[in-house]
Amino acid sequence: MHKDVERILYTEEELRRRVKELGAQITTDYAGRRPILASVLRGSYIFMADLTRAIDLDVTVDFMAVSSYGAGTVSSGQVEIKKDLSDTIEGRDLIIVEDILDSGNTLYYLMDVLRARRPASIRICALMDKPERRTKPITADYVGFTIPDAFIVGYGLDYAERYRNLPYVGVLKPSVYEK
Ligand code: IMP
Ligand code: MG
């Protein structure tokens, strides 16, 4: 285990199993359709790679990047689109793939922006959900794991751009960000 990690929350194996289940659920729910999976970078990149391979449909993928955090552990509430989707989504079934739904700021803003482009449908698939921290009225349609209020890293999730490469999801030692 990494020295900055307090404890492992989900092992590689647990993540693998749950992502497979999410993929199977999406495959069933979207049978006969061709959804666009839109990954919100950077935190969801590993989840996205595994999730798309667990979906047995004629999907397409797209990517966008937003920022709201800086180097802190709490959302600034300010959301900025750093990179937009490449494809048009009008009339398409869109599934937004996020790493964590925390305060809800990011997705609340993003949903507004994307809805205005008139897709046929929009759903949110979040690997992690921290409902206790929510300040905006937003829920995910697909959730990998519901977790308590702790700052987690690994499997794509970072603190100040570090730890994304850890194969598991772990709770970061508070001493790392309280310095
Ligand atoms: P929200 O706008 O507060 O819902 O924050 C969403 C974004 O904050 C996520 O997409 C993550 O990038 C980041 N985030 C929130 N909680 C954590 C965490 O525990 N670890 C790493 N990133 C987090
Ligand atoms: Mg993110």
Side-chain angles (χ1 to χ4, degrees):
M1 191 168 79
H2 193 288
K3 66 171 174 44
D4 294 346
V5 170
E6 192 172 82
R7 67 196 162 91
I8 293 178
L9 208 52
Y10 299 108
T11 63
E12 236 180 307
E13 177 56 25
E14 288 168 323
L15 290 163
R16 199 186 59 78
R17 212 175 308 136
R18 185 67 187 122
V19 173
K20 281 228 158 114
E21 288 173 0
L22 288 173
Q25 186 65 57
I26 290 171
T27 302
T28 302
D29 293 354
Y30 286 82
R33 292 193 276 166
R34 299 178 49 239
I36 302 181
L37 286 146
S39 157
V40 184
L41 295 170
R42 287 171 238 177
S44 68
Y45 79 108
I46 294 178
F47 175 42
M48 176 73 166
D50 287 344
L51 180 69
T52 51
R53 284 178 289 182
I55 296 175
D56 185 16
L57 295 170
D58 190 8
V59 298
T60 56
V61 299
D62 205 345
F63 300 87
M64 67 187 304
V66 296
S67 73
S68 67
Y69 265 66
T73 60
V74 180
S75 172
S76 66
Q78 301 264 321
V79 181
E80 191 192 341
I81 294 186
K82 298 276 194 185
K83 178 209 175 299
D84 207 338
L85 295 173
S86 300
D87 299 338
T88 55
I89 59 172
E90 191 174 345
R92 300 290 306 272
D93 292 311
L94 186 68
I95 303 175
I96 301 173
V97 179
E98 249 288 32
D99 53 357
I100 293 202
L101 189 46
D102 187 31
S103 71
N105 274 325
T106 310
L107 282 175
Y108 187 78
Y109 167 82
L110 215 55
M111 287 293 271
D112 235 33
V113 171
L114 296 174
R115 251 192 232 108
R117 301 181 189 175
R118 317 222 279 136
S121 68
I122 308 189
R123 280 187 184 168
I124 295 170
C125 178
L127 177 64
M128 303 282 169
D129 186 10
K130 288 193 224 174
E132 282 171 45
R133 305 238 322 151
R134 201 80 86 253
T135 59
K136 289 278 171 29
I138 189 142
T139 51
D141 303 279
Y142 302 97
V143 171
F145 302 96
T146 301
I147 62 169
D149 180 11
F151 199 82
I152 60 170
V153 293
Y155 194 70
L157 287 144
D158 74 307
Y159 169 65
E161 295 307 325
R162 299 175 59 202
Y163 314 108
R164 293 195 196 274
N165 57 324
L166 300 178
Y168 51 83
V169 167
V171 177
L172 189 64
K173 286 181 182 167
S175 59
V176 176
Y177 51 84
E178 280 165 0
K179 269 183 244 171

